[in-house]
Amino acid sequence: MRFRHPDGSTVHLAYCTNVHPAETLDGVLAQLRDHCEPVRRRLGRDRLGIGLWLAKDAAHALVTDPAALRGLRTELDRRGLEVVTLNGFPYEGFGAEQVKYRVYKPDWTDPDRLSHTTDLARLLAALLPDDVTEGTISTLPLAWRTPFDAPRAAAARSALTVLAQRLDALTELTGRSIRVGLEPEPGCTIETTADAIAPLSAVGHDRIGLCVDTCHLATSFEDPATALDALAAAGIPVVKSQLSAALHAEHPHLPEVREALAAFDEPRFLHQTRTLTGAGLLQGTDDLGEALTAGALPDTAPWRAHFHVPLHAAPAAPLTSTLPVLKDVLSRLVGGSEPRTHHLEVETYTWQALPPALRPRGRTQLAEGIAAELALARDLLTDLGLKELP
């Protein structure tokens, strides 16, 4: 979906296909047919943006077979779909029964991460619509926090420097500009936007910036104004933003609240949980189940858990979502005189990890839910003065 900002530029809205995990090119093509096109039709749109997730094997198949890449581009066009952004965070196995810590491998100290991201940049340059010259890719925020010593930090910084050089060369070759955004996430070396400023300043290249995930930012109790002002002051570009909402528990000491939270403690994904102490210090656990263990986390202040809940459907009381944080971030990113990013991506990949009663039953219900999220995001954008384009 495209929107005209009051300054005349185009803002793109997509949804991320990592909600339909597939490891192979055939699986990606099936996603387009079985999920993405039905969502587009449900929205009544002739064109729908998708943020493709291409796992290692799918990306390798495309980068080594020009005919396969042309075939994918043709299939996108045929189904009324367009790609201006990729989710390059998960490498493989995102649809496994247990993902947890595996999603952070390989990290930016491993040559495989640089190679994979380079492949994604080459593919995105070829998949961009004919009238679009800029693409974006989100990636993990260097590494999980341990172990990450000075030599590993230097290796990651070196890899990002090489990536920036390759992106420069890609632009010279294709005329398409691809930028990569590190995506701060709780528990990682870069957990918050503030953590990103020093390493990104060290790389010092405008093709390497930040992906602001509004669930992650909310989980870490970051203030949107403070976070975005600091990035602007440091000259760190917001490459893209992922629109997502975290799980919020206002009174985690109450038994009924803990019972409600326990329903979201599931085995597939990591649900880092955070709270702010009275002194303003952030405390947390790596997973929601750990937080629910007696005494593991202070419970006198609200908790937030890294669980991407559907944007349009906050959990039932006594829980809620951090949708207000998303709205605040969005207004600051695209509600001003000019947008600070042109690529927005709804990323609720946890539909099938929701408590059983809340999960969609079949493809039709899933398409309805994704369409409802996109409709909400569309309304937020038009309320900010953007105009939806055909």
Side-chain angles (χ1 to χ4, degrees), residues 86-89 107-108 113 117 136-143 148 153 156-157 159-161 163 167 179-185 188-193 195-213 216 231 236-242:
L86 300 179
N87 187 331
F89 196 135
D107 61 33
W108 276 100
R113 175 60 65 172
T117 309
T136 58
I137 301 170
S138 49
T139 188
L140 81 161
L142 300 187
F148 199 76
R157 185 169 60 249
L160 289 176
T161 300
L163 176 65
L167 296 176
R179 295 192 297 165
V180 173
L182 304 185
E183 181 185 331
E185 179 167 316
C188 291
T189 300
I190 297 175
E191 172 158 341
T192 65
T193 55
D195 295 335
I197 291 175
L200 287 175
S201 297
V203 174
H205 199 295
D206 62 6
R207 294 199 191 279
I208 311 295
L210 208 68
C211 169
V212 175
D213 184 302
H216 302 172
L231 291 176
I236 303 298
V238 179
V239 168
K240 64 183 279 190
S241 180
Q242 288 174 324

Side-chain angles (χ1 to χ4, degrees), residues 14-21 51 87 94 183 213-216 241-246 264 268-269 271 306-314 321 323 326 345-354 358 360 366 369-374 376-377:
Y15 89 89
C16 186
T17 64
N18 62 356
V19 65
H20 320 297
N87 187 331
F94 200 60
E183 181 185 331
D213 184 302
T214 57
C215 170
H216 302 172
S241 180
Q242 288 174 324
L243 307 182
S244 54
F264 287 83
R268 179 177 295 182
F269 301 111
H271 301 297
H306 173 215
F307 195 117
H308 291 221
V309 295
L311 301 187
H312 68 294
S321 81
L323 183 63
L326 183 158
E345 180 183 52
V346 171
E347 195 212 9
T348 305
Y349 60 83
T350 44
W351 280 96
Q352 299 301 339
L354 289 166
L358 302 180
L366 179 58
I370 294 170
E373 289 194 293
L374 286 166
L376 182 146

